[in-house]
Amino acid sequence: MEFAEFKTTIKTTVELILNNRTAANNEAETISYLIVPLIAALGYSSMNPNEYRTEVPVSTPFKDLNETSKIDIVLQKQATPLMFVEAESQKGNLVKKGVTQVTSVLPHAQKDLGQQQLIGVLTDGIRYLFFADFVPDVTHKPRPFKELQLDKMDLNDYEFLYHVAKDSFNFDWLRNKYEQKTKLTNVKSSVEFLMNNPTDEFVKAVLLQMKEQGKISGNITSKVISDYKPAVISALGEFLSDTTGDGQPVVSKKEPEKKANTLLNQFPISIHLTAKNSPEIDAQAQLLDASGQIKVLKGSHIRQSDTEGYRATEFESLLQGRVLSEDVVFSKPSRAANFILRVTAINGWEAWKDELGDTIAKYRN
């Protein structure tokens, strides 16, 4: 099926599903009225056991190794498993109820079903979360590589569904697309950390460049590096802010994938900010709109000490020790992140995370 025809089929099916959503009051009805119609539109026949299996047993990661759990649905092509689906009722919290279960079952399903290239799907019939092991998650925080909602579909979502449909399923396409996306996110995070916590080698490289330009002279000793480090941190902060307006890293001119136009009615969105190297940091907030306005909530914990070059804000008086005493609204994510992390510049769109652990860049307008 050509993509244009496929897209039309999916749009028609989604309209039917959205009309049925109020009739799905439990998991069984969610599967029948919401999930199965989309599966059929993707080309998998629920009447063919080589394409559609239910209540498939796999070894469970939650109980004794001799026990098993059952996967709701396994989708196959010519008896080869491609995806498994775990369904939840719309009445519950999809993330809290199912994410850990799906990501824990995935490696066991790969083994028991004899298929390493397997996609795990968690859904309530409207919201779909897709999981795979494209890139090992060293943080051990389960997160989907793709999320879509049937009532907020865009062209990227139709393209994605086309590559998980039975006749056009392409695991390599999915891996290439989303593995690179994950790597880019990880690289950005490391670059931002380096810019706020430059090593002596980094500072020395800056000083060597200054020396070549005739701006300094003499040997670059440990004392010179130490003396210049605060200035380097401050200069990086000012440069990033002046260049991009909101601490966006200049290492990448590419705009983040824009999905805010399909997510606008979700605001306010619960978000949080933590730091692996500073466990005391625990900031809870709300993303108020697609422009990046953030309300940091009372009781949020900031970093215990300020980093070199940190510039105090007008909100310092609202701190009781290192705890925020009342809600504070920031106009941009980076300003809020700078305040919490006590740094000079950081990309707030990448620092703040939603309940899935995704950066808030996907909500950006």
Side-chain angles (χ1 to χ4, degrees):
M1 183 184 297
E2 296 296 326
F3 178 72
E5 181 183 355
F6 172 82
K7 182 180 176 183
T8 299
T9 300
I10 295 297
K11 289 184 70 173
T12 301
T13 302
V14 168
E15 290 176 2
L16 172 65
I17 291 171
L18 296 179
N19 287 333
N20 290 342
R21 68 189 303 179
T22 57
N25 297 309
N26 53 49
E27 183 178 315
E29 292 175 343
T30 295
I31 293 175
S32 297
Y33 302 151
L34 308 183
I35 299 174
V36 171
L38 182 63
I39 288 175
L42 293 175
Y44 302 94
S45 172
S46 61
M47 305 299 293
N48 185 344
N50 288 325
E51 297 180 1
Y52 183 97
R53 297 165 59 197
T54 60
E55 298 297 304
V56 179
V58 295
S59 56
T60 175
F62 305 112
K63 300 178 182 179
D64 185 271
L65 291 177
N66 295 322
E67 298 190 31
T68 61
S69 58
K70 292 183 179 180
I71 295 174
D72 291 332
I73 302 169
V74 174
L75 301 178
Q76 306 180 144
K77 181 177 182 179
Q78 298 177 350
T80 299
L82 301 178
M83 298 188 288
F84 72 86
V85 181
E86 287 291 336
E88 297 286 349
S89 168
Q90 293 185 78
K91 294 183 178 180
N93 185 309
L94 184 67
V95 174
K96 290 184 178 180
K97 292 180 67 177
V99 169
T100 300
Q101 178 181 352
V102 172
T103 54
S104 299
V105 166
L106 179 58
H108 296 267
Q110 289 172 322
K111 179 180 178 181
D112 292 358
L113 298 176
Q115 174 61 289
Q116 189 65 29
Q117 296 184 342
L118 191 66
I119 304 295
V121 184
L122 174 64
T123 181
D124 60 7
I126 303 297
R127 185 182 183 187
Y128 282 77
L129 308 179
F130 296 83
F131 301 84
D133 60 355
F134 298 135
V135 177
D137 188 354
V138 296
T139 64
H140 304 296
K141 294 180 180 178
R143 55 185 299 173
F145 71 88
K146 172 67 177 178
E147 176 183 359
L148 65 82
Q149 291 202 191
L150 298 188
D151 54 351
K152 302 177 180 68
M153 294 277 286
D154 63 17
L155 184 60
N156 288 328
D157 294 329
Y158 287 106
E159 181 186 38
F160 173 82
L161 288 178
Y162 183 74
H163 287 92
V164 297
K166 185 191 73 173
D167 293 334
S168 50
F169 188 92
N170 191 328
F171 189 89
D172 288 337
W173 182 91
L174 296 169
R175 178 171 53 202
N176 291 338
K177 182 177 178 66
Y178 292 98
E179 183 181 44
Q180 291 304 315
K181 181 179 178 182
T182 301
K183 287 180 178 177
L184 177 60
T185 298
N186 291 339
V187 168
K188 282 183 177 180
S189 176
S190 296
V191 169
E192 287 163 14
F193 179 82
L194 177 62
M195 288 185 169
N196 283 290
N197 303 273
T199 62
D200 287 352
E201 290 79 7
F202 184 91
V203 176
K204 184 176 181 179
V206 173
L207 296 177
L208 285 171
Q209 181 63 32
M210 292 172 62
K211 188 174 182 179
E212 287 182 10
Q213 296 172 340
K215 296 178 179 178
I216 62 173
S217 61
N219 295 327
I220 300 177
T221 64
S222 297
K223 184 177 186 307
V224 173
I225 291 174
S226 178
D227 290 343
Y228 269 91
K229 183 176 283 191
V232 170
I233 294 174
S234 182
L236 284 171
E238 292 179 10
F239 178 71
L240 290 178
S241 297
D242 291 344
T243 302
T244 63
D246 185 33
Q248 291 279 51
V250 296
V251 295
S252 175
K253 297 297 184 181
K254 183 178 180 181
E255 289 292 324
E257 183 178 359
K258 293 187 177 181
K259 287 210 164 187
N261 60 332
T262 66
L263 301 169
L264 291 178
N265 64 352
Q266 293 190 14
F267 296 115
I269 297 167
S270 295
I271 60 176
H272 64 275
L273 178 61
T274 57
K276 183 178 180 181
N277 296 327
S278 300
E280 76 277 9
I281 297 175
D282 182 14
Q284 303 298 317
Q286 292 179 333
L287 178 62
L288 302 179
D289 56 39
S291 72
Q293 190 172 207
I294 285 181
K295 179 195 289 185
V296 181
L297 303 180
K298 176 183 177 180
S300 291
H301 291 249
I302 70 170
R303 189 189 295 272
Q304 285 291 349
S305 58
D306 299 348
T307 61
E308 291 182 282
Y310 173 73
R311 297 186 293 272
T313 72
E314 65 271 28
F315 302 118
E316 306 300 318
S317 62
L318 300 180
L319 292 172
Q320 293 182 349
R322 309 305 280 186
V323 180
L324 193 60
S325 63
E326 61 182 75
D327 296 349
V328 177
V329 176
F330 292 84
S331 60
K332 295 295 180 183
S334 295
R335 294 170 188 166
N338 288 340
F339 176 74
I340 298 297
L341 300 177
R342 318 305 281 178
V343 296
T344 55
I346 193 168
N347 183 357
W349 291 102
E350 298 293 335
W352 291 96
K353 307 290 180 64
D354 64 12
E355 62 178 4
L356 286 173
D358 291 335
T359 68
I360 64 172
K362 68 181 183 180
Y363 303 105
R364 191 176 189 184
N365 192 345

PDB file of all heavy atoms in Angstrom, residues 40-62:
ATOM      1  N   ALA A  40      -6.022  -3.635  12.826  1.00  0.00           N
ATOM      2  CA  ALA A  40      -6.531  -4.063  11.523  1.00  0.00           C
ATOM      3  C   ALA A  40      -6.118  -3.092  10.425  1.00  0.00           C
ATOM      4  O   ALA A  40      -5.749  -3.501   9.318  1.00  0.00           O
ATOM      5  CB  ALA A  40      -8.047  -4.192  11.575  1.00  0.00           C
ATOM      6  N   ALA A  41      -6.152  -1.786  10.736  1.00  0.00           N
ATOM      7  CA  ALA A  41      -5.747  -0.777   9.749  1.00  0.00           C
ATOM      8  C   ALA A  41      -4.266  -0.890   9.413  1.00  0.00           C
ATOM      9  O   ALA A  41      -3.843  -0.530   8.311  1.00  0.00           O
ATOM     10  CB  ALA A  41      -6.073   0.619  10.268  1.00  0.00           C
ATOM     11  N   LEU A  42      -3.476  -1.415  10.359  1.00  0.00           N
ATOM     12  CA  LEU A  42      -2.051  -1.625  10.117  1.00  0.00           C
ATOM     13  C   LEU A  42      -1.787  -2.917   9.343  1.00  0.00           C
ATOM     14  O   LEU A  42      -0.630  -3.228   9.031  1.00  0.00           O
ATOM     15  CB  LEU A  42      -1.289  -1.661  11.444  1.00  0.00           C
ATOM     16  CG  LEU A  42      -1.245  -0.348  12.231  1.00  0.00           C
ATOM     17  CD1 LEU A  42      -0.571  -0.550  13.586  1.00  0.00           C
ATOM     18  CD2 LEU A  42      -0.544   0.749  11.453  1.00  0.00           C
ATOM     19  N   GLY A  43      -2.865  -3.662   9.063  1.00  0.00           N
ATOM     20  CA  GLY A  43      -2.728  -4.846   8.213  1.00  0.00           C
ATOM     21  C   GLY A  43      -2.658  -6.167   8.927  1.00  0.00           C
ATOM     22  O   GLY A  43      -2.519  -7.218   8.289  1.00  0.00           O
ATOM     23  N   TYR A  44      -2.777  -6.173  10.252  1.00  0.00           N
ATOM     24  CA  TYR A  44      -2.710  -7.414  11.016  1.00  0.00           C
ATOM     25  C   TYR A  44      -4.132  -7.941  11.228  1.00  0.00           C
ATOM     26  O   TYR A  44      -4.981  -7.235  11.793  1.00  0.00           O
ATOM     27  CB  TYR A  44      -2.041  -7.195  12.366  1.00  0.00           C
ATOM     28  CG  TYR A  44      -0.642  -6.634  12.271  1.00  0.00           C
ATOM     29  CD1 TYR A  44      -0.424  -5.248  12.346  1.00  0.00           C
ATOM     30  CD2 TYR A  44       0.460  -7.461  12.114  1.00  0.00           C
ATOM     31  CE1 TYR A  44       0.861  -4.721  12.267  1.00  0.00           C
ATOM     32  CE2 TYR A  44       1.745  -6.944  12.032  1.00  0.00           C
ATOM     33  CZ  TYR A  44       1.937  -5.570  12.106  1.00  0.00           C
ATOM     34  OH  TYR A  44       3.208  -5.053  12.029  1.00  0.00           O
ATOM     35  N   SER A  45      -4.404  -9.152  10.799  1.00  0.00           N
ATOM     36  CA  SER A  45      -5.749  -9.719  10.900  1.00  0.00           C
ATOM     37  C   SER A  45      -5.918 -10.461  12.218  1.00  0.00           C
ATOM     38  O   SER A  45      -5.161 -11.392  12.526  1.00  0.00           O
ATOM     39  CB  SER A  45      -6.011 -10.681   9.743  1.00  0.00           C
ATOM     40  OG  SER A  45      -7.227 -11.374   9.937  1.00  0.00           O
ATOM     41  N   SER A  46      -6.909 -10.055  12.996  1.00  0.00           N
ATOM     42  CA  SER A  46      -7.183 -10.723  14.268  1.00  0.00           C
ATOM     43  C   SER A  46      -7.778 -12.111  14.057  1.00  0.00           C
ATOM     44  O   SER A  46      -7.937 -12.874  15.019  1.00  0.00           O
ATOM     45  CB  SER A  46      -8.134  -9.872  15.113  1.00  0.00           C
ATOM     46  OG  SER A  46      -9.366  -9.685  14.436  1.00  0.00           O
ATOM     47  N   MET A  47      -8.105 -12.459  12.808  1.00  0.00           N
ATOM     48  CA  MET A  47      -8.655 -13.777  12.490  1.00  0.00           C
ATOM     49  C   MET A  47      -7.559 -14.747  12.042  1.00  0.00           C
ATOM     50  O   MET A  47      -7.835 -15.916  11.782  1.00  0.00           O
ATOM     51  CB  MET A  47      -9.709 -13.646  11.379  1.00  0.00           C
ATOM     52  CG  MET A  47     -10.815 -12.658  11.674  1.00  0.00           C
ATOM     53  SD  MET A  47     -11.760 -13.123  13.158  1.00  0.00           S
ATOM     54  CE  MET A  47     -12.559 -14.620  12.582  1.00  0.00           C
ATOM     55  N   ASN A  48      -6.316 -14.245  11.957  1.00  0.00           N
ATOM     56  CA  ASN A  48      -5.217 -15.068  11.475  1.00  0.00           C
ATOM     57  C   ASN A  48      -4.212 -15.304  12.609  1.00  0.00           C
ATOM     58  O   ASN A  48      -3.530 -14.371  13.028  1.00  0.00           O
ATOM     59  CB  ASN A  48      -4.532 -14.379  10.291  1.00  0.00           C
ATOM     60  CG  ASN A  48      -3.452 -15.250   9.657  1.00  0.00           C
ATOM     61  OD1 ASN A  48      -2.995 -16.227  10.237  1.00  0.00           O
ATOM     62  ND2 ASN A  48      -3.036 -14.871   8.454  1.00  0.00           N
ATOM     63  N   PRO A  49      -4.082 -16.533  13.101  1.00  0.00           N
ATOM     64  CA  PRO A  49      -3.167 -16.802  14.217  1.00  0.00           C
ATOM     65  C   PRO A  49      -1.695 -16.594  13.863  1.00  0.00           C
ATOM     66  O   PRO A  49      -0.853 -16.528  14.769  1.00  0.00           O
ATOM     67  CB  PRO A  49      -3.449 -18.272  14.563  1.00  0.00           C
ATOM     68  CG  PRO A  49      -4.033 -18.848  13.320  1.00  0.00           C
ATOM     69  CD  PRO A  49      -4.821 -17.738  12.685  1.00  0.00           C
ATOM     70  N   ASN A  50      -1.368 -16.518  12.598  1.00  0.00           N
ATOM     71  CA  ASN A  50       0.004 -16.215  12.197  1.00  0.00           C
ATOM     72  C   ASN A  50       0.302 -14.721  12.239  1.00  0.00           C
ATOM     73  O   ASN A  50       1.447 -14.310  12.042  1.00  0.00           O
ATOM     74  CB  ASN A  50       0.274 -16.743  10.783  1.00  0.00           C
ATOM     75  CG  ASN A  50       0.382 -18.248  10.742  1.00  0.00           C
ATOM     76  OD1 ASN A  50       0.882 -18.866  11.686  1.00  0.00           O
ATOM     77  ND2 ASN A  50      -0.102 -18.845   9.660  1.00  0.00           N
ATOM     78  N   GLU A  51      -0.738 -13.914  12.495  1.00  0.00           N
ATOM     79  CA  GLU A  51      -0.572 -12.458  12.559  1.00  0.00           C
ATOM     80  C   GLU A  51      -1.001 -11.868  13.902  1.00  0.00           C
ATOM     81  O   GLU A  51      -0.531 -10.787  14.277  1.00  0.00           O
ATOM     82  CB  GLU A  51      -1.373 -11.785  11.435  1.00  0.00           C
ATOM     83  CG  GLU A  51      -0.892 -12.163  10.045  1.00  0.00           C
ATOM     84  CD  GLU A  51      -1.690 -11.486   8.949  1.00  0.00           C
ATOM     85  OE1 GLU A  51      -2.614 -10.696   9.260  1.00  0.00           O
ATOM     86  OE2 GLU A  51      -1.398 -11.738   7.770  1.00  0.00           O
ATOM     87  N   TYR A  52      -1.869 -12.577  14.609  1.00  0.00           N
ATOM     88  CA  TYR A  52      -2.474 -12.006  15.820  1.00  0.00           C
ATOM     89  C   TYR A  52      -2.656 -13.106  16.849  1.00  0.00           C
ATOM     90  O   TYR A  52      -3.378 -14.081  16.623  1.00  0.00           O
ATOM     91  CB  TYR A  52      -3.831 -11.387  15.451  1.00  0.00           C
ATOM     92  CG  TYR A  52      -4.563 -10.680  16.569  1.00  0.00           C
ATOM     93  CD1 TYR A  52      -4.468  -9.297  16.721  1.00  0.00           C
ATOM     94  CD2 TYR A  52      -5.387 -11.379  17.443  1.00  0.00           C
ATOM     95  CE1 TYR A  52      -5.172  -8.629  17.720  1.00  0.00           C
ATOM     96  CE2 TYR A  52      -6.085 -10.723  18.457  1.00  0.00           C
ATOM     97  CZ  TYR A  52      -5.972  -9.355  18.585  1.00  0.00           C
ATOM     98  OH  TYR A  52      -6.670  -8.700  19.574  1.00  0.00           O
ATOM     99  N   ARG A  53      -1.963 -12.965  17.981  1.00  0.00           N
ATOM    100  CA  ARG A  53      -2.085 -13.925  19.072  1.00  0.00           C
ATOM    101  C   ARG A  53      -2.403 -13.179  20.367  1.00  0.00           C
ATOM    102  O   ARG A  53      -1.954 -12.049  20.563  1.00  0.00           O
ATOM    103  CB  ARG A  53      -0.793 -14.722  19.243  1.00  0.00           C
ATOM    104  CG  ARG A  53      -0.418 -15.591  18.048  1.00  0.00           C
ATOM    105  CD  ARG A  53       1.015 -16.057  18.144  1.00  0.00           C
ATOM    106  NE  ARG A  53       1.273 -16.838  19.356  1.00  0.00           N
ATOM    107  CZ  ARG A  53       2.479 -17.085  19.841  1.00  0.00           C
ATOM    108  NH1 ARG A  53       3.550 -16.580  19.234  1.00  0.00           N
ATOM    109  NH2 ARG A  53       2.624 -17.794  20.932  1.00  0.00           N
ATOM    110  N   THR A  54      -3.155 -13.802  21.226  1.00  0.00           N
ATOM    111  CA  THR A  54      -3.523 -13.168  22.494  1.00  0.00           C
ATOM    112  C   THR A  54      -3.108 -14.042  23.670  1.00  0.00           C
ATOM    113  O   THR A  54      -2.918 -15.254  23.542  1.00  0.00           O
ATOM    114  CB  THR A  54      -5.042 -12.924  22.572  1.00  0.00           C
ATOM    115  OG1 THR A  54      -5.734 -14.188  22.478  1.00  0.00           O
ATOM    116  CG2 THR A  54      -5.490 -12.013  21.446  1.00  0.00           C
ATOM    117  N   GLU A  55      -2.948 -13.383  24.829  1.00  0.00           N
ATOM    118  CA  GLU A  55      -2.601 -14.076  26.075  1.00  0.00           C
ATOM    119  C   GLU A  55      -1.403 -15.003  25.878  1.00  0.00           C
ATOM    120  O   GLU A  55      -1.431 -16.184  26.218  1.00  0.00           O
ATOM    121  CB  GLU A  55      -3.807 -14.857  26.603  1.00  0.00           C
ATOM    122  CG  GLU A  55      -5.005 -14.006  26.958  1.00  0.00           C
ATOM    123  CD  GLU A  55      -4.691 -13.045  28.099  1.00  0.00           C
ATOM    124  OE1 GLU A  55      -4.256 -13.515  29.174  1.00  0.00           O
ATOM    125  OE2 GLU A  55      -4.878 -11.828  27.911  1.00  0.00           O
ATOM    126  N   VAL A  56      -0.328 -14.430  25.339  1.00  0.00           N
ATOM    127  CA  VAL A  56       0.873 -15.209  25.030  1.00  0.00           C
ATOM    128  C   VAL A  56       1.771 -15.264  26.264  1.00  0.00           C
ATOM    129  O   VAL A  56       2.190 -14.224  26.777  1.00  0.00           O
ATOM    130  CB  VAL A  56       1.640 -14.588  23.847  1.00  0.00           C
ATOM    131  CG1 VAL A  56       2.899 -15.400  23.541  1.00  0.00           C
ATOM    132  CG2 VAL A  56       0.731 -14.506  22.627  1.00  0.00           C
ATOM    133  N   PRO A  57       2.095 -16.456  26.752  1.00  0.00           N
ATOM    134  CA  PRO A  57       2.909 -16.561  27.977  1.00  0.00           C
ATOM    135  C   PRO A  57       4.390 -16.248  27.727  1.00  0.00           C
ATOM    136  O   PRO A  57       4.956 -16.649  26.717  1.00  0.00           O
ATOM    137  CB  PRO A  57       2.724 -18.021  28.396  1.00  0.00           C
ATOM    138  CG  PRO A  57       2.424 -18.744  27.115  1.00  0.00           C
ATOM    139  CD  PRO A  57       1.650 -17.771  26.270  1.00  0.00           C
ATOM    140  N   VAL A  58       4.992 -15.512  28.650  1.00  0.00           N
ATOM    141  CA  VAL A  58       6.438 -15.282  28.638  1.00  0.00           C
ATOM    142  C   VAL A  58       6.921 -15.386  30.079  1.00  0.00           C
ATOM    143  O   VAL A  58       6.159 -15.173  31.017  1.00  0.00           O
ATOM    144  CB  VAL A  58       6.820 -13.893  28.065  1.00  0.00           C
ATOM    145  CG1 VAL A  58       6.439 -13.788  26.605  1.00  0.00           C
ATOM    146  CG2 VAL A  58       6.205 -12.771  28.883  1.00  0.00           C
ATOM    147  N   SER A  59       8.202 -15.691  30.257  1.00  0.00           N
ATOM    148  CA  SER A  59       8.751 -15.749  31.607  1.00  0.00           C
ATOM    149  C   SER A  59       8.671 -14.371  32.224  1.00  0.00           C
ATOM    150  O   SER A  59       8.946 -13.367  31.577  1.00  0.00           O
ATOM    151  CB  SER A  59      10.201 -16.236  31.575  1.00  0.00           C
ATOM    152  OG  SER A  59      10.987 -15.415  30.728  1.00  0.00           O
ATOM    153  N   THR A  60       8.264 -14.313  33.472  1.00  0.00           N
ATOM    154  CA  THR A  60       8.026 -13.024  34.111  1.00  0.00           C
ATOM    155  C   THR A  60       9.249 -12.531  34.867  1.00  0.00           C
ATOM    156  O   THR A  60       9.940 -13.324  35.509  1.00  0.00           O
ATOM    157  CB  THR A  60       6.829 -13.099  35.076  1.00  0.00           C
ATOM    158  OG1 THR A  60       6.708 -11.851  35.768  1.00  0.00           O
ATOM    159  CG2 THR A  60       7.009 -14.211  36.093  1.00  0.00           C
ATOM    160  N   PRO A  61       9.539 -11.227  34.802  1.00  0.00           N
ATOM    161  CA  PRO A  61      10.636 -10.675  35.598  1.00  0.00           C
ATOM    162  C   PRO A  61      10.219 -10.323  37.014  1.00  0.00           C
ATOM    163  O   PRO A  61      11.030  -9.908  37.812  1.00  0.00           O
ATOM    164  CB  PRO A  61      10.996  -9.406  34.822  1.00  0.00           C
ATOM    165  CG  PRO A  61       9.698  -8.974  34.226  1.00  0.00           C
ATOM    166  CD  PRO A  61       8.965 -10.247  33.881  1.00  0.00           C
ATOM    167  N   PHE A  62       8.928 -10.502  37.309  1.00  0.00           N
ATOM    168  CA  PHE A  62       8.408 -10.027  38.589  1.00  0.00           C
ATOM    169  C   PHE A  62       8.284 -11.127  39.640  1.00  0.00           C
ATOM    170  O   PHE A  62       8.230 -10.856  40.819  1.00  0.00           O
ATOM    171  CB  PHE A  62       7.028  -9.399  38.393  1.00  0.00           C
ATOM    172  CG  PHE A  62       7.012  -8.307  37.365  1.00  0.00           C
ATOM    173  CD1 PHE A  62       6.349  -8.470  36.166  1.00  0.00           C
ATOM    174  CD2 PHE A  62       7.684  -7.116  37.596  1.00  0.00           C
ATOM    175  CE1 PHE A  62       6.344  -7.460  35.222  1.00  0.00           C
ATOM    176  CE2 PHE A  62       7.687  -6.107  36.655  1.00  0.00           C
ATOM    177  CZ  PHE A  62       7.019  -6.289  35.458  1.00  0.00           C
TER     178      PHE A  62
END
